[in-house]
Short mmCIF file of all heavy atoms in Angstrom, two decimals:
data_model
loop_
_atom_site.label_atom_id
_atom_site.label_comp_id
_atom_site.label_asym_id
_atom_site.label_seq_id
_atom_site.Cartn_x
_atom_site.Cartn_y
_atom_site.Cartn_z
N GLN Y 13 0.83 -1.21 0.00
CA GLN Y 13 0.00 0.00 0.00
C GLN Y 13 0.86 1.26 0.00
O GLN Y 13 0.53 2.25 -0.68
CB GLN Y 13 -0.93 -0.03 1.21
CG GLN Y 13 -2.01 -1.09 1.08
CD GLN Y 13 -3.00 -1.12 2.25
OE1 GLN Y 13 -4.03 -1.77 2.17
NE2 GLN Y 13 -2.70 -0.40 3.33
N HIS Y 14 1.94 1.25 0.75
CA HIS Y 14 2.82 2.42 0.78
C HIS Y 14 3.46 2.63 -0.59
O HIS Y 14 3.56 3.76 -1.08
CB HIS Y 14 3.89 2.24 1.85
CG HIS Y 14 4.76 3.44 2.04
ND1 HIS Y 14 6.04 3.52 1.56
CD2 HIS Y 14 4.52 4.63 2.65
CE1 HIS Y 14 6.55 4.70 1.87
NE2 HIS Y 14 5.66 5.39 2.53
N TYR Y 15 3.88 1.54 -1.23
CA TYR Y 15 4.43 1.64 -2.58
C TYR Y 15 3.41 2.22 -3.54
O TYR Y 15 3.72 3.09 -4.36
CB TYR Y 15 4.87 0.25 -3.06
CG TYR Y 15 4.98 0.12 -4.56
CD1 TYR Y 15 6.07 0.66 -5.25
CD2 TYR Y 15 3.99 -0.51 -5.30
CE1 TYR Y 15 6.17 0.56 -6.63
CE2 TYR Y 15 4.08 -0.62 -6.68
CZ TYR Y 15 5.16 -0.09 -7.34
OH TYR Y 15 5.25 -0.18 -8.70
N THR Y 16 2.16 1.74 -3.44
CA THR Y 16 1.12 2.19 -4.36
C THR Y 16 0.82 3.67 -4.18
O THR Y 16 0.64 4.41 -5.15
CB THR Y 16 -0.15 1.36 -4.15
OG1 THR Y 16 0.15 -0.03 -4.31
CG2 THR Y 16 -1.22 1.75 -5.16
N MET Y 17 0.78 4.12 -2.94
CA MET Y 17 0.50 5.54 -2.68
C MET Y 17 1.54 6.45 -3.34
O MET Y 17 1.21 7.53 -3.83
CB MET Y 17 0.48 5.80 -1.18
CG MET Y 17 -0.75 5.26 -0.47
SD MET Y 17 -0.61 5.42 1.32
CE MET Y 17 -0.58 7.20 1.52
N THR Y 18 2.78 6.00 -3.35
CA THR Y 18 3.83 6.82 -3.95
C THR Y 18 3.88 6.65 -5.47
O THR Y 18 4.50 7.45 -6.16
CB THR Y 18 5.20 6.45 -3.36
OG1 THR Y 18 5.49 5.07 -3.63
CG2 THR Y 18 5.20 6.64 -1.85
N LEU Y 19 3.22 5.60 -5.97
CA LEU Y 19 3.26 5.33 -7.41
C LEU Y 19 2.33 6.23 -8.21
O LEU Y 19 2.65 6.60 -9.35
CB LEU Y 19 2.87 3.86 -7.66
CG LEU Y 19 2.70 3.42 -9.11
CD1 LEU Y 19 4.02 3.51 -9.87
CD2 LEU Y 19 2.16 1.99 -9.17
N TYR Y 20 1.18 6.61 -7.64
CA TYR Y 20 0.14 7.27 -8.42
C TYR Y 20 0.62 8.55 -9.09
O TYR Y 20 0.36 8.79 -10.27
CB TYR Y 20 -1.08 7.56 -7.55
CG TYR Y 20 -1.85 6.33 -7.15
CD1 TYR Y 20 -2.31 6.16 -5.84
CD2 TYR Y 20 -2.12 5.32 -8.07
CE1 TYR Y 20 -3.01 5.02 -5.48
CE2 TYR Y 20 -2.82 4.19 -7.71
CZ TYR Y 20 -3.26 4.04 -6.42
OH TYR Y 20 -3.96 2.92 -6.04
N ASN Y 21 1.32 9.40 -8.36
CA ASN Y 21 1.78 10.66 -8.95
C ASN Y 21 2.80 10.40 -10.07
O ASN Y 21 2.78 11.06 -11.11
CB ASN Y 21 2.40 11.56 -7.88
CG ASN Y 21 1.34 12.09 -6.92
OD1 ASN Y 21 0.27 12.49 -7.33
ND2 ASN Y 21 1.66 12.09 -5.64
N ALA Y 22 3.68 9.40 -9.86
CA ALA Y 22 4.64 9.05 -10.91
C ALA Y 22 3.93 8.47 -12.12
O ALA Y 22 4.33 8.71 -13.27
CB ALA Y 22 5.66 8.05 -10.36
N LEU Y 23 2.87 7.72 -11.88
CA LEU Y 23 2.10 7.13 -12.97
C LEU Y 23 1.43 8.22 -13.81
O LEU Y 23 1.36 8.11 -15.04
CB LEU Y 23 1.05 6.18 -12.39
CG LEU Y 23 0.36 5.21 -13.34
CD1 LEU Y 23 1.37 4.29 -14.01
CD2 LEU Y 23 -0.68 4.40 -12.58
N GLU Y 24 0.95 9.26 -13.15
CA GLU Y 24 0.37 10.39 -13.88
C GLU Y 24 1.39 11.03 -14.81
O GLU Y 24 1.11 11.33 -15.98
CB GLU Y 24 -0.16 11.44 -12.91
CG GLU Y 24 -1.47 11.08 -12.23
CD GLU Y 24 -2.02 12.23 -11.40
OE1 GLU Y 24 -1.26 13.21 -11.15
OE2 GLU Y 24 -3.20 12.17 -11.02
N GLU Y 25 2.60 11.26 -14.29
CA GLU Y 25 3.65 11.88 -15.09
C GLU Y 25 4.06 10.99 -16.26
O GLU Y 25 4.30 11.46 -17.37
CB GLU Y 25 4.87 12.18 -14.22
CG GLU Y 25 4.63 13.24 -13.16
CD GLU Y 25 5.89 13.53 -12.35
OE1 GLU Y 25 6.97 13.05 -12.77
OE2 GLU Y 25 5.79 14.21 -11.32
N GLU Y 26 4.11 9.69 -16.00
CA GLU Y 26 4.54 8.74 -17.03
C GLU Y 26 3.54 8.62 -18.17
O GLU Y 26 3.93 8.54 -19.34
CB GLU Y 26 4.73 7.37 -16.38
CG GLU Y 26 5.09 6.25 -17.36
CD GLU Y 26 5.12 4.90 -16.68
OE1 GLU Y 26 5.40 4.83 -15.47
OE2 GLU Y 26 4.86 3.90 -17.38
N THR Y 27 2.25 8.63 -17.84
CA THR Y 27 1.23 8.32 -18.85
C THR Y 27 0.45 9.54 -19.33
O THR Y 27 -0.19 9.48 -20.38
CB THR Y 27 0.23 7.31 -18.29
OG1 THR Y 27 -0.48 7.90 -17.17
CG2 THR Y 27 0.94 6.05 -17.82
N GLY Y 28 0.45 10.63 -18.56
CA GLY Y 28 -0.37 11.78 -18.91
C GLY Y 28 -1.82 11.61 -18.53
O GLY Y 28 -2.65 12.49 -18.80
N GLN Y 29 -2.16 10.51 -17.88
CA GLN Y 29 -3.53 10.23 -17.45
C GLN Y 29 -3.69 10.58 -15.98
O GLN Y 29 -2.95 10.08 -15.13
CB GLN Y 29 -3.86 8.75 -17.67
CG GLN Y 29 -5.12 8.26 -16.97
CD GLN Y 29 -6.40 8.86 -17.54
OE1 GLN Y 29 -6.58 8.88 -18.76
NE2 GLN Y 29 -7.27 9.35 -16.68
N SER Y 30 -4.64 11.45 -15.67
CA SER Y 30 -4.87 11.82 -14.28
C SER Y 30 -5.38 10.63 -13.48
O SER Y 30 -6.25 9.88 -13.94
CB SER Y 30 -5.88 12.97 -14.20
OG SER Y 30 -6.26 13.20 -12.85
N CYS Y 31 -4.86 10.47 -12.27
CA CYS Y 31 -5.34 9.44 -11.35
C CYS Y 31 -6.30 10.04 -10.31
O CYS Y 31 -6.77 9.32 -9.42
CB CYS Y 31 -4.17 8.78 -10.64
SG CYS Y 31 -3.11 7.78 -11.71
N GLY Y 32 -6.57 11.33 -10.42
CA GLY Y 32 -7.48 11.98 -9.48
C GLY Y 32 -7.02 11.85 -8.04
O GLY Y 32 -7.81 11.54 -7.15
N VAL Y 33 -5.74 12.12 -7.80
CA VAL Y 33 -5.16 11.91 -6.48
C VAL Y 33 -5.46 13.09 -5.56
O VAL Y 33 -5.16 14.25 -5.90
CB VAL Y 33 -3.63 11.70 -6.57
CG1 VAL Y 33 -3.06 11.47 -5.18
CG2 VAL Y 33 -3.31 10.53 -7.49
N PHE Y 34 -6.05 12.82 -4.41
CA PHE Y 34 -6.22 13.80 -3.35
C PHE Y 34 -5.56 13.23 -2.10
O PHE Y 34 -5.91 12.12 -1.67
CB PHE Y 34 -7.71 14.07 -3.06
CG PHE Y 34 -8.44 14.73 -4.19
CD1 PHE Y 34 -9.27 13.99 -5.01
CD2 PHE Y 34 -8.31 16.09 -4.42
CE1 PHE Y 34 -9.96 14.58 -6.05
CE2 PHE Y 34 -8.99 16.70 -5.46
CZ PHE Y 34 -9.82 15.94 -6.28
N GLN Y 35 -4.62 13.95 -1.53
CA GLN Y 35 -3.92 13.47 -0.34
C GLN Y 35 -3.93 14.53 0.77
O GLN Y 35 -2.89 15.05 1.15
CB GLN Y 35 -2.49 13.06 -0.69
CG GLN Y 35 -2.43 11.79 -1.57
CD GLN Y 35 -1.01 11.38 -1.90
OE1 GLN Y 35 -0.35 12.02 -2.71
NE2 GLN Y 35 -0.56 10.29 -1.29
N PRO Y 36 -5.13 14.80 1.30
CA PRO Y 36 -5.22 15.76 2.41
C PRO Y 36 -4.91 15.13 3.75
O PRO Y 36 -4.94 15.81 4.78
CB PRO Y 36 -6.69 16.19 2.36
CG PRO Y 36 -7.40 14.95 1.88
CD PRO Y 36 -6.45 14.28 0.92
N GLY Y 37 -4.60 13.83 3.75
CA GLY Y 37 -4.31 13.12 4.99
C GLY Y 37 -5.48 12.26 5.44
O GLY Y 37 -6.59 12.36 4.92
N SER Y 38 -5.20 11.39 6.41
CA SER Y 38 -6.23 10.51 6.98
C SER Y 38 -6.09 10.48 8.50
O SER Y 38 -4.99 10.42 9.02
CB SER Y 38 -6.08 9.09 6.43
OG SER Y 38 -6.29 9.04 5.03
#
């Protein structure tokens, strides 16, 4: 899960496809 959380922003940059990431905390 920690790996995945850090992957989303990199995935957006790599593909140009928005992942709709909001990280205001939990």
Side-chain angles (χ1 to χ4, degrees):
Q13 290 182 168
H14 185 257
Y15 159 77
T16 304
M17 287 173 64
T18 61
L19 173 65
Y20 290 136
N21 290 318
L23 194 60
E24 284 187 346
E25 294 182 11
E26 176 186 331
T27 65
Q29 166 68 48
S30 171
C31 292
V33 181
F34 294 102
Q35 291 181 287
S38 297

